[in-house]
Amino acid sequence: MHIVDKDGITILYNEKCEEIEGLTRDFVLGSDIKDLVKRGVYSESVSMEAINSKSLVAKTQQVNQRNIFSTSVPILDQGEFVAVVTNVMDISNITSLEFQLKELEKVNETITEELGIIQDLNQTNELKVSRNKMMNSIFRLALRVSKADSTVFILGESGVGKEFMARFIHANSDRKERPFFFFDCSAYPRHMIHPLLFGTSDEEMTPGIFRQAQGGCVYISEISNLPLESQRDLMSIITEKVIPGDRRRASREIDVRVIASSSEKLLPHVQNGNFREDLYFRLQTVPIEIPPLRDRRNEIMPFISHFLDLYNKKYNKNKTLSVEAIQDLIHYSWPENLRELEEEIERGVVFSQSNQIMANVILLAATPQGVHADTTKDLRENVLQFERELMKMYLAEARDIHHLSELTGLEVSSLRKKAKRIDVDMVYDGS
């Protein structure tokens, strides 16, 4: 993959391009593609042609004396160019025109998959999702699974889109017209989880989420935090479609599909006795693992474009990103994945004083005074340290978890996950 900005300056050049074109990353990065054409490295610039024509361009060109087939796709934001993404293929040994045409179809199909759009099946929002080959295969699996009624387990780091995947499965299932309930085990004290999920049999007869979701789907997030008592009842619902000990409602079958997820592997919890082995294997019937954003960097640019458009509309702005800001976003490690990317774009739209969001407004813009980067550590370690300092500052002002949520603008469940990830105790010092 070869990405240039709107002026034709290379901002990303991966190893595959090095292999196919016979050039080095150090040579191409930061170079003006027009200058490389003048020097004879490229016979012509497919990227610049895509910019000038405002459309996809696919053609054969000479690169470093090799026959290269290139497909360039412009990335637009409010009609303005942000970048051009180019995929390349070595066709030096291809002599059949028919074969070239078939390969062109395959390349175009791959580009469409990588930069394609699927609707957010939440029924309230529309979400654009770029799918690389890895994500496309995951979505195909999810579509196949949605047509069955199997229990599904989704594994992935915080912020990769597990809830969206659960909603995607539900919205493509035969239960799509029935209720979808989301329950985050990490957002509640352990003693509250069981009655909230399964209800009570006392005089007040609290129904619980599973009864309210009759005929629909219950998505249980961070299931590793589910108490053993609740695991027992969940196993009964999955296998026997009943809640144990429910005498008054024993005749009523619990017809609910279960989708569960976790940001950490469950096997260690099984081994230390905190998770039932039978439930573990039941969940592994259909496992789906979503890779972190750092392992699918070709999705970052389309998501940047999507979130920028989303928050420009929300706040009635017309902001764009500088080349430096785009480079920082593309090369950042994204420990909180898509959730963190979305938060950074929103911060840039809100806090940038000019219509162009500069690099100093994003990522490290909220660094507390007095905290300095340690150049002996990598960027991710420095960002973690900055996040710890920030969280401690907020905790010093917060009265409780809900007040902390108001101060930070993050949901309670996200705060608990973030505090666990950055290793900060949730101790509130505010009066």
Side-chain angles (χ1 to χ4, degrees):
M1 176 174 291
H2 187 171
I3 301 179
V4 302
D5 64 21
K6 62 182 180 181
D7 298 317
I9 307 299
T10 297
I11 59 176
L12 181 68
Y13 190 79
N14 68 7
E15 294 179 1
K16 193 65 176 179
C17 276
E18 287 184 305
E19 176 187 336
I20 293 175
E21 296 184 344
L23 303 173
T24 66
R25 190 178 309 178
D26 291 339
F27 176 75
V28 179
L29 273 178
S31 299
D32 188 329
I33 195 72
K34 299 184 289 296
D35 182 54
L36 294 178
V37 172
K38 290 180 182 178
R39 294 163 61 183
V41 179
Y42 290 84
S43 61
E44 57 186 305
S45 173
V46 181
S47 300
M48 293 306 299
E49 191 171 334
I51 291 176
N52 295 329
S53 65
K54 298 182 179 180
S55 62
L56 181 148
V57 176
K59 63 193 309 182
T60 301
Q61 61 178 339
Q62 289 280 328
V63 181
N64 195 26
Q65 299 183 337
R66 299 183 182 188
N67 291 323
I68 304 297
F69 187 82
S70 302
T71 304
S72 295
V73 180
I75 306 299
L76 304 176
D77 175 44
Q78 299 291 322
E80 297 292 330
F81 283 98
V82 177
V84 171
V85 180
T86 299
N87 274 16
V88 297
M89 178 178 65
D90 188 352
I91 58 170
S92 300
N93 298 322
I94 297 177
T95 56
S96 167
L97 176 60
E98 180 181 0
F99 185 78
Q100 289 186 41
L101 291 173
K102 288 182 179 179
E103 290 300 309
L104 170 59
E105 292 175 358
K106 291 179 181 179
V107 171
N108 286 340
E109 181 181 349
T110 300
I111 292 291
T112 301
E113 290 174 353
E114 291 176 350
L115 304 177
I117 297 173
I118 63 171
Q119 293 181 346
D120 178 13
L121 301 167
N122 188 345
Q123 299 182 353
T124 58
N125 297 301
E126 191 174 281
L127 181 63
K128 300 175 182 179
V129 177
S130 168
R131 288 172 284 166
N132 59 16
K133 290 182 179 179
M134 182 165 35
M135 287 305 297
N136 189 51
S137 64
I138 291 173
F139 272 99
R140 284 201 300 268
L141 171 61
L143 278 173
R144 289 197 300 271
V145 170
S146 67
K147 306 306 177 186
D149 215 21
S150 308
T151 301
V152 179
F153 176 67
I154 305 169
L155 177 65
E157 293 180 6
S158 176
V160 295
K162 298 187 292 293
E163 181 184 351
F164 173 76
M165 183 63 70
R167 292 184 182 276
F168 178 85
I169 292 170
H170 175 68
N172 283 278
S173 72
D174 293 336
R175 297 176 180 264
K176 61 185 177 182
E177 302 299 331
R178 305 298 297 167
F180 177 94
F181 279 82
F182 166 69
F183 186 85
D184 186 349
C185 295
S186 66
Y188 299 95
R190 292 178 68 85
H191 71 275
M192 290 181 59
I193 292 177
H194 194 273
L196 286 172
L197 281 174
F198 304 102
T200 61
S201 298
D202 54 21
E203 293 181 357
E204 295 182 1
M205 292 291 292
T206 305
I209 286 176
F210 274 101
R211 292 194 185 90
Q212 296 177 67
Q214 186 70 3
C217 176
V218 173
Y219 166 51
I220 304 175
S221 175
E222 299 303 335
I223 196 171
S224 61
N225 293 325
L226 194 67
L228 286 169
E229 176 192 11
S230 301
Q231 293 177 33
R232 178 203 64 192
D233 286 7
L234 177 60
M235 189 66 184
S236 294
I237 286 177
I238 293 173
T239 58
E240 303 173 26
K241 298 188 179 300
V242 297
I243 298 177
D246 186 5
R247 298 178 180 178
R248 300 187 184 187
R249 302 174 187 263
S251 61
R252 184 179 181 184
E253 181 180 272
I254 303 296
D255 177 24
V256 171
R257 182 180 196 170
V258 175
I259 300 177
S261 73
S262 176
S263 57
E264 55 188 18
K265 294 184 177 181
L266 295 180
L267 187 56
H269 294 275
V270 175
Q271 294 170 338
N272 64 27
N274 291 326
F275 202 88
R276 291 174 62 109
E277 186 176 33
D278 55 355
L279 179 57
Y280 168 78
F281 285 112
R282 177 65 66 169
L283 292 175
Q284 295 303 310
T285 302
V286 184
I288 295 177
E289 184 169 359
I290 303 177
L293 188 58
R294 62 181 173 275
D295 290 345
R296 42 190 174 110
R297 290 189 179 276
N298 58 342
E299 293 195 321
I300 294 176
M301 196 66 228
F303 274 116
I304 289 172
S305 181
H306 166 66
F307 291 136
L308 192 60
D309 180 60
L310 177 69
Y311 288 107
N312 270 329
K313 290 178 180 177
K314 179 177 179 179
Y315 296 110
N316 195 26
K317 303 288 185 181
N318 188 28
K319 302 290 181 74
T320 59
L321 284 159
S322 70
V323 172
E324 293 79 9
I326 291 175
Q327 288 177 321
D328 285 350
L329 291 169
I330 288 175
H331 294 293
Y332 182 55
S333 60
W334 300 114
E336 287 292 312
N337 296 288
L338 284 176
R339 182 188 296 119
E340 185 179 11
L341 174 58
E342 181 175 2
E343 290 171 357
E344 292 301 334
I345 298 299
E346 182 178 13
R347 179 186 296 117
V349 171
V350 172
F351 291 108
S352 175
Q353 296 181 355
S354 66
N355 278 336
Q356 187 172 61
I357 303 169
M358 308 305 291
N360 64 348
V361 179
I362 58 174
L363 292 177
L364 303 182
T367 302
Q369 293 184 358
V371 178
H372 303 284
D374 183 349
T375 55
T376 64
K377 299 179 180 179
D378 62 24
L379 178 61
R380 184 174 182 177
E381 289 179 294
N382 276 302
V383 171
L384 283 173
Q385 181 59 34
F386 295 150
E387 284 187 298
R388 290 188 189 104
E389 296 300 324
L390 275 172
M391 183 64 79
K392 290 175 182 177
M393 289 171 59
Y394 281 119
L395 285 168
E397 299 293 329
R399 296 184 300 272
D400 53 37
I401 186 69
H402 300 291
H403 188 209
L404 182 63
S405 177
E406 292 177 10
L407 292 174
T408 60
L410 298 176
E411 295 180 359
V412 170
S413 59
S414 296
L415 283 170
R416 294 184 189 277
K417 293 173 186 175
K418 184 178 287 290
K420 182 178 180 181
R421 179 179 64 81
I422 65 178
D423 193 25
V424 171
D425 293 330
M426 302 286 275
V427 178
Y428 308 100
D429 298 327
S431 56

